[in-house]
Amino acid sequence: MVVGICGLGLIGGSMAKAYKAAGHTVLAYDIDSAALGYAELAGISDGTLTNERIAECDLVLIALYPEATVKYLIQIAPYTVPKKTVVMDLCGIKKEICEVGFKLAADYCFTFVGAHPMAGTQYSGIKYSKATLFKNAPMVLVPAVYDDIYFLARIKKLLEPAMFGKISVTTAEEHDMMIAFTSQLAHIVSNAYVKSPTAQNHKGFSAGSYKDMTRVAWLNENMWTELFLDNKEPLLYEIDNIIKSLSEYRNAISANDADTLRSLLRDGRIAKEKVDG
């Protein structure tokens, strides 16, 4: 299989390493010539992914920011091979990208699938990439059709070298609504939490809770700004919910209202129990 990968950051670089380790041919492109050169010197890629070489690819993976993903989709669509080329974006939001991807796929007769690998670290860049990043990790797919088992089996086969665990299928709208809660809100809360002046003096007073809460505060502000603004309404809904809940805790503590505070804490514990099954 020939795999084209555009974007050699943590996600794209890890995909390149995974497919290369599985014995496939990897063509790669990145706007950063240093990352591209490193990939070739390190044997992570077998050559540069140009527009003309898109036709060689069985699978094209796009690991870029949202706006760049849309632009790249428009750029490569005329170079795809009808009924052969499968293009997947690996971006953290789906609605805007899938609208463009599905339309272009229909116009040029290639296959487009929205995809979101649910794995990563707080670090970015190809130097932190690894072939096993996605091993047993969830993968969320947003295809144009949901009831074609042969099509989905083909897509899963193409993804085998990345060694994903559970693969879920959903709509772009459902994906963006859920990701606002499970990922985007967590990054915002973590980023806001660590801004407390107290954080500068935490050493010796912190353990697992602090580490868990602050891990994703170390983020790529350029990428996350795009992701947050492109998923504005679902994210605002989640932010409003947590502000409301925090206000309830604050009010109970301020009023020395032990009964209300105990009830709020109990409700949260029960909610967690239900979530965990």
Side-chain angles (χ1 to χ4, degrees):
M1 175 166 50
V2 179
V3 182
I5 298 177
C6 182
L8 290 172
L10 175 69
I11 300 300
S14 296
M15 282 292 191
K17 288 181 178 179
Y19 279 88
K20 189 64 180 167
H24 300 289
T25 298
V26 174
L27 303 177
Y29 176 74
D30 194 283
I31 194 170
D32 183 352
S33 59
L36 189 59
Y38 169 77
E40 293 191 17
L41 285 173
I44 300 171
S45 75
D46 299 292
T48 303
L49 178 65
T50 62
N51 288 344
E52 291 72 23
R53 299 195 74 178
I54 292 290
E56 300 176 32
C57 299
D58 302 289
L59 174 64
V60 177
L61 300 171
I62 308 174
L64 302 173
Y65 296 178
E67 291 180 14
T69 295
V70 170
K71 290 179 181 178
Y72 189 70
L73 277 169
I74 295 170
Q75 175 185 317
I76 67 169
Y79 297 92
T80 57
V81 177
K83 298 183 180 180
K84 173 196 173 185
T85 308
V86 176
V87 179
M88 291 188 198
D89 88 279
L90 304 177
C91 197
I93 53 115
K94 285 286 156 275
K95 188 173 185 295
E96 177 184 357
I97 293 170
C98 285
E99 285 175 355
V100 175
F102 293 149
K103 184 179 186 308
L104 289 169
D107 291 343
Y108 291 94
C109 297
F110 67 91
T111 298
F112 174 79
V113 180
H116 188 180
M118 303 302 296
T121 72
Q122 65 267 44
Y123 306 110
S124 60
I126 193 170
K127 68 178 180 178
Y128 295 108
S129 64
K130 56 183 180 179
T132 58
L133 181 67
F134 308 110
K135 187 175 182 179
N136 297 323
M139 168 62 110
V140 181
L141 298 178
V142 179
V145 294
Y146 304 91
D147 56 354
D148 187 336
I149 59 173
Y150 298 104
F151 169 78
L152 293 175
R154 177 191 176 199
I155 300 304
K156 290 179 181 180
K157 183 72 175 177
L158 289 172
L159 290 171
E160 278 184 359
M163 300 178 288
F164 287 104
K166 179 179 175 58
I167 295 181
S168 303
V169 178
T170 188
T171 65
E173 291 79 8
E174 177 72 13
H175 169 275
D176 289 357
M177 181 182 73
M178 291 303 300
I179 220 67
F181 172 72
T182 62
S183 176
Q184 295 183 343
L185 180 65
H187 280 78
I188 285 179
V189 171
S190 179
N191 197 265
Y193 171 72
V194 81
K195 289 177 182 176
S196 168
T198 312
Q200 302 304 316
N201 303 308
H202 79 88
K203 291 182 179 178
F205 296 87
S206 59
S209 296
Y210 173 83
K211 291 179 181 178
D212 291 344
M213 189 74 173
T214 60
R215 181 181 67 82
V216 294
W218 196 335
L219 47 69
N220 179 330
E221 62 270 17
N222 296 314
M223 179 184 74
W224 285 99
T225 293
E226 280 198 36
L227 291 172
F228 292 158
L229 293 180
D230 286 341
N231 201 31
K232 178 179 178 179
E233 295 306 323
L235 183 53
L236 287 176
Y237 171 80
E238 297 300 340
I239 291 173
D240 288 343
N241 275 341
I242 198 167
I243 288 174
K244 178 177 180 293
S245 291
L246 287 173
S247 295
E248 291 173 349
Y249 289 100
R250 188 194 185 286
N251 292 339
I253 293 169
S254 178
N256 288 316
D257 187 345
D259 290 340
T260 298
L261 181 58
R262 187 178 299 109
S263 178
L264 290 168
L265 294 170
R266 182 181 64 248
D267 290 346
R269 172 180 56 77
I270 292 172
K272 175 62 173 172
E273 289 174 355
K274 289 180 178 178
V275 168
D276 289 352

